[in-house]
Amino acid sequence: MRLRNSSTDGSDGSQLFEDTSSLGSGSQTGYRTQQSGPHTPGVAGPSILSDPMSNLAMAYGSSLASQGKEMMDKNLDRFIPISKLKYYFAVDTLYVGRKLGLLVFPYMHENWEVSYQQDTPVAPRFDVNAPDLYIPAMGFITYVLVSGLALGTQNKFSPELLGVQASSAFVWLVMEVLVVLLSLYLVTVNTDLTTIDLLAFSGYKYVGMIVGVVAGLLFGRLAYYLSLLWCCAAIFVFMIRTLRLKLLSEAAAEGKLVRGARNQLRMYLTMSIAAAQPVFMYWLTYHLVR
């Protein structure tokens, strides 16, 4: 009984050790508050963006990039005028139909001069004599597809062989344009023909090639030869009447007698370009019809 009373009295009396649990939690709270207080930003944050040297370097880099882009566009435009490509694709359905008819039957066409408006040639959709790239591009793609069909009828179709067919046709086209450019340089012809103009005129032969191959697939080899012969004669007349206005002198373009060694060279060059078209047409299609 006495021991119980002493223990009860001891609990109400003075404690042997002071309770410091509340003090400890308070100090820990204060320590946490001190750590989670406002943090002063360092030098590596916004000061980089506000650094004058960084802004100067960014401005200098952007000026160098713009100068490099302008120089590249200027040098590229010397060989292939990229900015003028829109002109060669400004066609419509009426122009395409009239141009295809002119390529197949050029004998009744009289006026071959390109129309100008303030020293600038009008868009192809307004003048059937203007060169374009739509028909050559679509003709090349159609030729590749028809070649695949012809190879399939011979049980020779394969993606590799079709790729060889397309790449060979493209290489021959590029070589033809390069040879013509070299010939114009050697003959010193002062003409307004551009590289894209020559590419367009050289690509018109795909129309006759497609006609010949399709006729051969539908009606046999004799139909291929007859249709190809007609298209070869048509493209020859088309090239002669088109290029003589570009390569020959004004007197020759009007039908007068061509005199002088330089004009004769221009005439021979015109004839050579026109005569090369039937050769390429037969070379790229004879193996497709059996």
Side-chain angles (χ1 to χ4, degrees):
M1 293 294 294
R2 191 170 183 176
L3 290 175
R4 292 178 182 175
N5 292 334
S6 63
S7 61
T8 304
D9 296 339
S11 61
D12 294 334
S14 61
Q15 297 180 356
L16 294 178
F17 300 100
E18 183 181 1
D19 187 8
T20 59
S21 60
S22 60
L23 181 62
S25 62
S27 63
Q28 288 179 1
T29 305
Y31 178 73
R32 291 173 183 174
T33 305
Q34 184 178 1
Q35 280 190 344
S36 61
H39 178 68
T40 304
V43 183
S47 62
I48 293 181
L49 299 178
S50 61
D51 190 3
M53 296 300 296
S54 300
N55 297 332
L56 182 61
M58 293 175 61
Y60 183 69
S62 61
S63 63
L64 282 181
S66 61
Q67 291 178 2
K69 182 179 181 299
E70 182 180 359
M71 185 178 299
M72 183 183 68
D73 294 340
K74 184 183 299 183
N75 293 330
L76 185 61
D77 192 70
R78 291 172 54 188
F79 300 98
I80 300 178
I82 303 297
S83 59
K84 298 181 180 180
L85 283 179
K86 291 183 179 180
Y87 166 82
Y88 293 93
F89 285 95
V91 299
D92 55 7
T93 306
L94 181 60
Y95 168 82
V96 173
R98 294 176 59 192
K99 193 74 169 188
L100 291 177
L102 185 60
L103 291 172
V104 177
F105 194 83
Y107 308 105
M108 302 300 294
H109 192 65
E110 297 180 357
N111 184 17
W112 293 84
E113 295 183 358
V114 178
S115 302
Y116 283 82
Q117 184 178 5
Q118 298 180 354
D119 297 334
T120 302
V122 298
R125 64 175 174 267
F126 301 119
D127 185 14
V128 71
N129 296 322
D132 71 286
L133 284 179
Y134 177 80
I135 293 178
M138 294 297 103
F140 179 82
I141 296 174
T142 308
Y143 163 73
V144 174
L145 297 177
V146 171
S147 300
L149 178 62
L151 293 174
T153 58
Q154 302 174 13
N155 296 325
K156 296 181 180 179
F157 176 80
S158 65
E160 294 79 10
L161 190 58
L162 187 63
V164 170
Q165 188 75 21
S167 60
S168 61
F170 181 76
V171 168
W172 280 114
L173 180 64
V174 173
M175 290 180 61
E176 179 186 355
V177 173
L178 292 179
V179 169
V180 173
L181 288 175
L182 180 60
S183 302
L184 292 176
Y185 174 77
L186 295 177
V187 180
T188 64
V189 177
N190 187 14
T191 179
D192 58 351
L193 278 175
T194 62
T195 306
I196 301 183
D197 291 336
L198 295 175
L199 187 63
F201 290 132
S202 300
Y204 285 140
K205 61 176 169 285
Y206 290 115
V207 176
M209 294 163 59
I210 294 169
V211 172
V213 174
V214 172
L217 292 177
L218 294 178
F219 305 106
R221 195 166 183 81
L222 180 60
Y224 160 75
Y225 282 116
L226 292 177
S227 59
L228 187 66
L229 181 62
W230 176 273
C231 293
C232 287
I235 196 66
F236 180 81
V237 174
F238 173 83
M239 295 293 287
I240 288 291
R241 294 185 178 181
T242 302
L243 293 180
R244 72 171 186 172
L245 299 175
K246 301 289 186 179
L247 301 182
L248 300 181
S249 60
E250 295 181 357
E254 295 174 357
K256 299 180 181 180
L257 182 62
V258 179
R259 296 178 180 178
R262 180 170 297 179
N263 282 337
Q264 288 183 355
L265 288 177
R266 294 177 181 180
M267 182 182 64
Y268 293 150
L269 180 59
T270 304
M271 297 287 291
S272 301
I273 296 174
Q277 306 307 310
V279 175
F280 284 113
M281 292 171 66
Y282 176 75
W283 175 258
L284 294 173
T285 57
Y286 78 95
H287 60 283
L288 297 176
V289 180
R290 298 295 182 185

